[in-house]
Amino acid sequence: KHFALAVALRCCCFLFLLLVISSLALLQLFWSSSSNSQNLKNNSKLQQIVLPRSKMGAKSELFGVFRVYWSLLLGNIVEWYEFAVYGYLATHLETHFFRGSAVGVWLGFSVTFLARPLGGILLGWVGDRYGRSVSVNLSIIGMLIGTCGQGLLPTLDCGISWLGNIGLVLLIIFRFIQGLSAAGEVSTITSYLAEVSSPSILSRGTALVNVTASVGFLLAQFVCFLLETIFGSSGVEQFAWRIPFLLAIVPGGIAVIGRRGIPESAMFLEAQEKCEGGAAHEAIFSKLKHACKYWPNMLLTFGAVTTFAVLQYGCL
């Protein structure tokens, strides 16, 4: 009965969000049509600009990006693996940390979403100020600390009440760190891949961010399923729930080592030379002001991401 109610509620939420997105799409089309006349005037000038074709094939270019920046993609898989493991182990964490409260364990999961806007701003600023390489290294290290830390926490089962309470507080802190890191990872890697990918592979290059994130979710589900198969529910409940958190240290460590040597993009280095001191801040505000002109598109994107998030996290 409760399962049917939950499914019905999710369907209603999905239909509502679909209605919102459809309305935003119509609004965006109306907004775009009003500016078509101005765009037609500029077409004659734009047609004179011809982007140079790369002598390499698209597959070769994409492989070249992967060969140099593989550590970014591996780190992104690890980050979202770590992010999803909590959701797949929620029933066990509910017993060990939240005294059997399902509401409590999912509130703990929601802490990461509160931290993500802040993480995107902070690590985005670090990436713009000190370099993309610095930002992606901070994000993967923060994610490893938050994830492996969860696997080492004391629980309420240890027999010492105050130690179990400390474990709960640290769990929330580690989840907050994960949220900061996950947000900074997405924004910085997307910028990185967009800057190093040529126009002929730009969409495929940036699409690797979502592809590797989905691989991370799938990998987390596979590891948790494998543990249930090997140790059984009782074994996972007793000790094996810690294993998925601790396993992240191996691929995460490889990603950290690989990210130490990745070069900054030529586009970033060129922009950094042009914008120094106050000029950098003026450039940022100028771009934000320009982006606000496309607020219908931004609302449409917001609705699309909201729908995607409801479907993705609702299936955990």
Side-chain angles (χ1 to χ4, degrees):
K1 182 178 180 181
H2 293 289
F3 176 76
L5 182 62
V7 172
L9 182 61
R10 288 181 182 178
C11 291
C12 290
C13 291
F14 174 73
L15 291 175
F16 174 75
L17 290 171
L18 188 61
L19 178 63
V20 171
I21 289 179
S22 301
S23 302
L24 291 173
L26 291 174
L27 178 63
Q28 192 269 339
L29 290 174
F30 175 77
W31 180 270
S32 299
S33 63
S34 64
S35 60
N36 277 344
S37 57
Q38 183 64 31
N39 291 337
L40 289 174
K41 294 179 182 178
N42 296 331
N43 276 345
S44 59
K45 297 180 180 179
L46 291 176
Q47 287 174 355
Q48 299 174 4
I49 303 175
V50 180
L51 291 174
R53 281 186 172 271
S54 173
K55 296 181 180 180
M56 299 173 60
K59 292 182 179 180
S60 299
E61 290 183 51
L62 193 62
F63 177 76
V65 170
F66 179 81
R67 181 174 56 83
V68 177
Y69 298 98
W70 62 268
S71 59
L72 293 179
L73 302 176
L74 175 60
N76 198 46
I77 292 174
V78 175
E79 292 242 7
W80 292 105
Y81 161 84
E82 296 166 341
F83 190 87
V85 158
Y86 181 102
Y88 294 124
L89 295 175
T91 54
H92 303 292
L93 298 175
E94 177 183 323
T95 303
H96 291 297
F97 292 99
F98 296 93
R99 294 182 172 85
S101 173
V103 175
V105 73
W106 289 111
L107 284 176
F109 185 77
S110 68
V111 168
T112 54
F113 295 94
L114 296 176
R116 284 174 70 173
L118 181 60
I121 294 172
L122 288 177
L123 290 178
W125 176 81
V126 170
D128 290 336
R129 183 68 177 84
Y130 300 102
R132 316 298 193 213
S133 179
V134 176
S135 183
V136 294
N137 277 288
L138 286 176
S139 68
I140 188 66
I141 291 172
M143 202 67 168
L144 284 175
I145 292 173
T147 303
C148 296
Q150 290 177 67
L152 299 172
L153 290 176
T155 67
L156 296 172
D157 303 330
C158 67
I160 305 175
S161 179
W162 64 268
L163 194 58
N165 292 330
I166 290 177
L168 174 59
V169 172
L170 289 175
L171 176 66
I172 300 302
I173 292 174
F174 286 142
R175 290 295 296 172
F176 191 84
I177 294 174
Q178 281 186 314
L180 294 175
S181 303
E185 179 81 359
V186 171
S187 59
T188 308
I189 285 187
T190 303
S191 300
Y192 224 138
L193 293 177
E195 290 171 356
V196 300
S197 300
S198 67
S200 62
I201 61 165
L202 183 58
S203 296
R204 281 170 286 182
T206 53
L208 291 174
V209 177
N210 282 332
V211 171
T212 51
S214 299
V215 171
F217 273 87
L218 182 63
L219 187 61
Q221 190 172 27
F222 174 74
V223 170
C224 293
F225 170 77
L226 192 63
L227 289 176
E228 290 278 352
T229 303
I230 296 174
F231 298 103
S233 298
S234 60
V236 175
E237 181 72 26
Q238 292 175 9
F239 67 93
W241 65 269
R242 298 180 183 271
I243 295 177
F245 293 104
L246 299 177
L247 279 178
I249 192 64
V250 178
I254 295 173
V256 170
I257 295 172
R259 289 185 179 194
R260 292 178 61 186
I262 57 174
E264 294 290 351
S265 67
M267 185 181 296
F268 170 75
L269 294 175
E270 182 181 353
Q272 196 175 41
E273 291 179 1
K274 292 180 179 180
C275 300
E276 296 181 356
H281 296 286
E282 293 178 5
I284 291 173
F285 286 117
S286 176
K287 291 183 180 296
L288 288 176
K289 185 178 179 180
H290 178 73
C292 289
K293 296 180 181 179
Y294 300 93
W295 61 268
N297 304 65
M298 296 170 68
L299 285 177
L300 179 62
T301 303
F302 178 82
V305 172
T306 302
T307 304
F308 175 76
V310 169
L311 293 175
Q312 183 179 30
Y313 297 111
C315 294
L316 283 177

